[in-house]
Amino acid sequence: MLFKNLFATMLKRQYARTMRDAYAFARSSALLHPARDVLDCGSGSGHELLATFGQCGTDKEGFHYAGLEWSRVAVEQGQAKGLDIVEADLNRALPIETGSKDCVIAYSVIEHLLMPCSFVNECHRVLRPGGRLIILTPNISTYFTAIQILLGKMPSSGPHPDSNSLIESEQPVSVSGVVRDDVTTGTPQHRHLVVFSFRVLREFLQSAGFVVERARGFGYYPLPMFLQPMFERMDATHCHQMVFVCTRPA
């Protein structure tokens, strides 16, 4: 029991570092090229407006941030702050004009969708030529996942079953500590439904018409934390989280 608790603590620390670095890379990538019209998919109440673009971005003349969000409560919270956030189902056609956006960000989103490939195609549609898409999502093809499957366990990255009791009894040591309290609802927000591998997502993005400019992996479990940055650079295809920075060709 002591070893299990120590291992769980180590994984949660690694996860915190993984997500910190993955989000930092995604956010910095969104700032590499100036964007006038930004679409945040899975925006919540609009946290990424400041987290990604900062006060200088929000004050910039001509800059427009729009968000699409499933949760009506989060939409209302964002609108109460004066933000352009609307309720939308990302599994369907996006309520956005074709070729109207310079940048689309989708952080920790596509793993929650039933139709993630359709969503990627929609992102291509709404972007202007030269516009960029930035995706942050878990990777199913990790050694950590393979070990869990060989042990007869459910992979921690998902997909997750729609039963709280099954998750509690069968899911392996959690790396995130996130409480998924809505897995049995008709419209679950926290469940992972489709989880891509690094290679498959990269190839699909290319087949959808994107040029993948940068692709990085973060979190090489269960190696010690001091070794992970080196292995992340050497082998992004087996990291826990992946970030793709893509451009719609002009």
Side-chain angles (χ1 to χ4, degrees), residues 1-238:
M1 181 62 70
L2 177 61
F3 174 78
K4 184 177 179 180
N5 290 337
L6 290 174
F7 186 64
T9 299
M10 179 193 74
L11 286 178
K12 288 176 181 178
R13 288 176 178 172
Q14 290 181 337
Y15 178 83
R17 174 258 165 190
T18 294
M19 298 309 292
R20 183 194 68 225
D21 290 357
Y23 269 86
F25 177 76
R27 289 163 176 163
S28 64
S29 297
L31 297 174
L32 285 179
H33 298 286
R36 185 173 70 251
D37 291 298
V38 173
L39 178 64
D40 182 1
C41 294
S43 64
S45 61
H47 170 75
E48 287 300 327
L49 174 59
L50 287 177
T52 292
F53 300 98
Q55 193 62 46
C56 59
T58 60
D59 292 340
K60 184 171 60 177
E61 184 178 357
F63 178 89
H64 179 248
Y65 167 92
L68 300 178
E69 170 57 35
W70 175 276
S71 167
R72 182 169 299 177
V73 172
V75 170
E76 292 173 350
Q77 291 173 343
Q79 292 176 345
K81 294 185 287 188
L83 300 181
D84 180 12
I85 297 176
V86 298
E87 186 176 352
D89 183 350
L90 301 181
N91 294 292
R92 302 181 181 276
L94 303 182
I96 302 295
E97 183 180 348
T98 298
S100 61
K101 299 299 177 182
D102 301 308
C103 181
V104 175
I105 59 175
Y107 304 158
S108 300
V109 170
I110 65 170
E111 66 272 19
H112 302 285
L113 302 181
L114 283 170
M115 306 290 287
C117 294
S118 175
F119 169 74
V120 168
N121 287 327
E122 277 293 284
C123 290
H124 187 274
R125 178 185 67 80
V126 305
L127 281 168
R128 297 185 176 106
R132 51 178 32 199
L133 167 67
I134 302 173
I135 288 179
L136 188 160
T137 189
N139 177 19
I140 195 68
S141 60
T142 70
Y143 294 121
F144 187 59
T145 295
I147 292 170
Q148 293 173 74
I149 292 174
L150 288 172
L151 292 174
K153 296 290 188 178
M154 296 294 296
S156 59
S157 294
H160 298 301
D162 60 343
S163 166
N164 285 326
S165 60
L166 182 60
I167 288 175
E168 290 171 1
S169 63
E170 293 297 331
Q171 186 161 313
V173 175
S174 174
V175 296
S176 69
V178 174
V179 178
R180 297 182 176 88
D181 57 357
D182 65 349
V183 297
T184 60
T185 66
T187 55
Q189 296 178 41
H190 294 104
R191 280 177 59 204
H192 290 183
L193 303 178
V194 178
V195 183
F196 285 92
S197 70
F198 188 98
R199 179 186 61 80
V200 168
L201 183 53
R202 179 177 57 195
E203 292 179 357
F204 181 74
L205 287 165
Q206 292 169 339
S207 70
F210 286 102
V211 174
V212 177
E213 293 184 345
R214 307 171 77 188
R216 286 279 307 275
F218 298 89
Y220 210 91
Y221 307 151
L223 290 182
M225 200 176 302
F226 73 92
L227 289 176
Q228 291 197 30
M230 179 178 66
F231 279 84
E232 289 167 358
R233 293 285 186 175
M234 292 171 53
D235 181 21
T237 60
H238 294 105

